[in-house]
Amino acid sequence: MWDVLTNITARLSNLIISGAVQMTDKQFLEKEIARWKRSPERMMQIKSFLYYNDDHDILHRKRQMIGEDGKLEDVENLPNNHIIDNQYGKLVNQKANYLLGQPFTVDSENDQYAELLKDLFNKRFMKLLKNAGKAMLNGGIAWLHPYYRDDGQLAFHLFPAYEILPFWSDSEHTELEFAIRLYTVQGYNGTEPVLIEKVEVYDLEGLHRYTLDGGTLTPDVDENGQNTESYITYTDSDGHAEGLNWTKVPLIPLKYNEQETPLLKKVKSLQDGINVMLSDFENGMQEDNRNTILILKNYDGENLGEFRKNLSTFGVVKVRSDDGADGGVETLEITVNSENYKAILDLFKKALIENGMGYDAKDDRLGGNPNQMNIQSMYSDIDLDANDMETELQAAFEDILWFVDAHLYNTGKGDFSQETANITFNRDILINESEAIQNCRDSVGILSDETIVTQHPWVDDPAAELERLKKQKNSSRNLKPRIITRSRKTTRRVQMMGVKMMDNVNHPSHYCKPGRKECIDEMLDLFGMEAVRDFCLLNRYKYQYRYDLKNGAEDLQKADNYEKIYLDLGGNPEKLALKVG
C-alpha cells in the first residue's frame, strides 16, 4: 500500500542531505504537501482564480480612522462600499479568446491521420482548450489529464494549477517524474457536512489515492482494500479485465509562459487601485452630510452625539447666547472632485492594459475607418504575449499527440507515431474588411485561388468554400443554350461559354488582361452569381438610358449583351420588362 512512496523517495533521494535524519516515505510526501499548500506561489494561483470570479480583496476591506492614540482603528458607522470593476477578468477573457476563440486547424500530409485527429479534436475539445487557456492565464500553468470515458473514447480532464504539485526530472520543467493532486470533496461527518481533502499521486505505476486529514496521509482504499489503480482497463473477448498504464505520466502541462507566472501577478496592484478608487468615490458621495463641516457656537447641549441625533431627528438644534455672543451653526463645505477620480481611474486602466499586454477596444486608433496598420499597432502587445502562449501550447501539443498516437495504435486505427501533424492557431484579430477584400481582389492572377480564399475575411472554412466555388463554376459551364427573343424581333442562339472574339461589345480588350480571366469571370469568382446577375441587369438599363447621348448603336448592343448574360445566369425575364421611359 505504501510501496509507491518507497519508489518515489528512492527517486528523490538526492534531495535529502547526506547524513541528515532520514524521513520516512510518508513523512516526505506529507511535508512536501504541507510546504506547497502554504507557499506564496500557490496562494497567488488561488487568488488569481478568485479575482477572475469577482472575489477581490476590496470585498474584505474595512473603513478605518485615526483613533485617539494616533493609531488606525476600524469604524463601523461610515459608508464602506466594495465596488469591483473587474478589468483583470476582462483581460483574461480577451487573451484567451484572441488566441483560442477560433477553432485551430489540424493539417498532416497523411490524410487518414488528419481526419482521425479532426475527429478527436472536436468542438468539445476546442471548448476544453479555450477553458484551459483561461486556466493557464490565471494559474501560470494548467494541466490536461488523458483518460478513457465509459464508452471507450479518449478524453481529457482539466486540472487548475493550484491542484497539482509537480516533481520535475529536469530544471527546465519539461519532463515530469511524478505529480500530486490535492483537491476537496463534499462529505459528511455523521449528519454534519464537511470538506474532505483528497490526494492523488500520478506516476508510471498508476494512480494512487489517499485522504489528507490534519496533514496526515491515509490510503483511500476501494472495496478490495486497494488504493492503487491502473489508468486503463482492457477487457478481452472472454470478459477478462487487465489493468494497463501509460509509459508517460498522464499529466500534460499547459504553460502561460516559461516562468509559469500567473497574469494576476503583473496587474494585481492596478486592479486593486481601480477598485479602491471607485469604492472611495462612492463612499465620499454617500457622506454628503459629513462633507459639510459644522461650526458650533454656544451649543446648548451636552455632547456632539446629542447634537447629531437632534439634527437628524428634528432638523434643528438649540443654541444660546453667552455673554452677549449669539449662538449659531455655520458650515464649511468639502467638495468631492469627481474629475480627479476619473483621471486616476483612466491612468490605472491604461496601465493595467499595458502591463497585462492587452488592447483597448475603445482606442482612438479605431475611430472612423481605421486602416490595417493602426489595427496591428493596437494589437502589438497582445500579439507578442500570444506568441509566448502559442510557443508553450505547441510544445504541449507534442505531448497531447503522443497520447493520441498511442490511443490510435492501441485501438487498431494505425501506427502514426512517425507522422507529423501541424497545429495552427487562428487568432481572432479585428481587421478592416474593406481593405482585406480589396487586397484579395488585387491578388487574383498573382496568388492561387486557395491562398486568396483562405485570406478572405468572410471565409471560415477555406476547403468548403473552394468546393462551393468549384460546383458554382461547373454549374455555370453546364448551362444549356437557350433561344431568346429580343425586343427588336431578332432571334439568335446564345451560349454562356465558348470562343471569345475581342470586340467593344462582347469582349472589350480592356476587360481581358493577358494571363488573367476576363473581368466578368473574375467577378463571378469573387462576388458570386447573384451579385453579377444584378450587375448585368443594371448595366443593361444604364446603356439603354444613355445610348442617344453617348455611343448610340454600340450602347444598345452593350445593353443586349448584358441582357444575354443576365438570362444565362438565371435572371428573371419578367424584370426585362422594366424599360427606360
Side-chain angles (χ1 to χ4, degrees), residues 435-444 452-453 455-457 526:
E435 192 173 324
I437 292 171
Q438 185 60 50
N439 290 337
C440 289
R441 292 174 183 165
D442 295 343
S443 300
V444 173
I452 294 172
V453 169
Q455 296 300 317
H456 200 287
L526 291 172

Side-chain angles (χ1 to χ4, degrees), residues 202-219:
Y202 294 79
D203 67 4
L204 298 180
E205 298 177 8
L207 175 62
H208 317 278
R209 301 184 184 276
Y210 303 89
T211 58
L212 186 67
D213 186 7
T216 301
L217 283 173
T218 304

Side-chain angles (χ1 to χ4, degrees), residues 38-267:
R38 299 188 298 267
S39 67
E41 292 80 12
R42 185 169 184 264
M43 292 299 102
M44 178 56 73
Q45 291 169 348
I46 294 173
K47 181 72 72 175
S48 297
F49 282 88
L50 291 174
Y51 264 57
Y52 179 74
N53 291 300
D54 295 323
D55 187 352
H56 294 206
D57 287 352
I58 191 71
L59 296 177
H60 313 290
R61 190 180 74 150
K62 296 183 177 181
R63 286 294 300 270
Q64 293 183 314
M65 63 174 291
I66 299 175
E68 294 181 1
D69 57 357
K71 297 180 180 179
L72 289 175
E73 59 183 41
D74 294 341
V75 181
E76 301 293 339
N77 64 334
L78 295 180
N80 186 20
N81 288 279
H82 304 128
I83 298 178
I84 295 173
D85 181 8
N86 199 349
Q87 294 293 313
Y88 168 73
K90 177 181 175 182
L91 186 62
V92 170
N93 289 336
Q94 190 182 81
K95 286 175 173 290
N97 281 285
Y98 177 72
L99 183 61
L100 302 170
Q102 299 293 330
F104 60 81
T105 304
V106 183
D107 183 43
S108 175
E109 293 182 359
N110 187 317
D111 292 339
Q112 180 188 3
Y113 186 39
E115 289 303 316
L116 289 170
L117 291 179
K118 289 176 182 178
D119 288 341
L120 284 167
F121 298 145
N122 50 26
K123 291 181 179 179
R124 177 180 294 182
F125 183 86
M126 299 283 186
K127 177 183 177 182
L128 175 73
L129 188 64
K130 188 167 82 167
N131 291 337
K134 296 177 183 179
M136 291 161 56
L137 290 157
N138 282 321
I141 189 173
W143 300 85
L144 289 182
H145 168 53
Y147 74 102
Y148 280 98
R149 300 201 308 255
D150 292 339
D151 60 0
Q153 296 299 311
L154 181 68
F156 295 86
H157 277 309
L158 173 62
F159 296 151
Y162 58 82
E163 286 189 0
I164 301 295
L165 169 59
F167 291 83
W168 302 97
S169 300
D170 59 336
S171 58
E172 290 80 18
H173 290 191
T174 59
E175 294 293 334
L176 194 61
E177 182 78 15
F178 72 98
I180 297 171
R181 181 186 177 210
L182 174 67
Y183 63 101
T184 58
V185 296
Q186 182 77 47
Y188 284 89
N189 183 8
T191 58
E192 293 297 320
V194 294
L195 286 177
I196 301 172
E197 288 189 305
K198 297 280 190 176
V199 172
E200 296 174 348
V201 179
Y202 294 79
D203 67 4
L204 298 180
E205 298 177 8
L207 175 62
H208 317 278
R209 301 184 184 276
Y210 303 89
T211 58
L212 186 67
D213 186 7
T216 301
L217 283 173
T218 304
D220 189 9
V221 298
D222 58 19
E223 62 274 8
N224 298 318
Q226 299 296 317
N227 74 317
T228 297
E229 62 185 61
S230 301
Y231 297 116
I232 306 168
T233 300
Y234 169 73
T235 304
D236 61 21
S237 56
D238 296 327
H240 297 124
E242 180 183 1
L244 302 173
N245 289 318
W246 302 101
T247 56
K248 292 179 69 170
V249 178
L251 284 173
I252 302 167
L254 308 177
K255 300 180 183 180
Y256 166 42
N257 51 47
E258 184 181 4
Q259 296 77 25
E260 303 165 22
T261 304
L263 176 60
L264 183 65
K265 194 170 183 179
K266 300 178 181 179
V267 299

Side-chain angles (χ1 to χ4, degrees), residues 14 22 27 79 121 127 151 166 185 240 256 285 313 352 357 374 419 422 436 449 508 523 565:
N14 61 314
Q22 297 296 304
Q27 286 174 334
F121 298 145
K127 177 183 177 182
D151 60 0
V185 296
H240 297 124
Y256 166 42
M285 297 303 293
T313 304
L352 186 144
M357 301 185 75
N374 283 342
E419 299 292 341
N422 299 313
D449 289 348
M523 290 166 62
I565 299 174

Side-chain angles (χ1 to χ4, degrees), residues 412-445:
K413 295 180 180 177
D415 183 0
F416 301 101
S417 58
Q418 301 304 314
E419 299 292 341
T420 301
N422 299 313
I423 307 296
T424 303
F425 293 97
N426 301 305
R427 303 186 183 186
D428 192 9
I429 186 171
L430 184 70
I431 65 170
N432 184 317
E433 282 195 350
S434 299
E435 192 173 324
I437 292 171
Q438 185 60 50
N439 290 337
C440 289
R441 292 174 183 165
D442 295 343
S443 300
V444 173

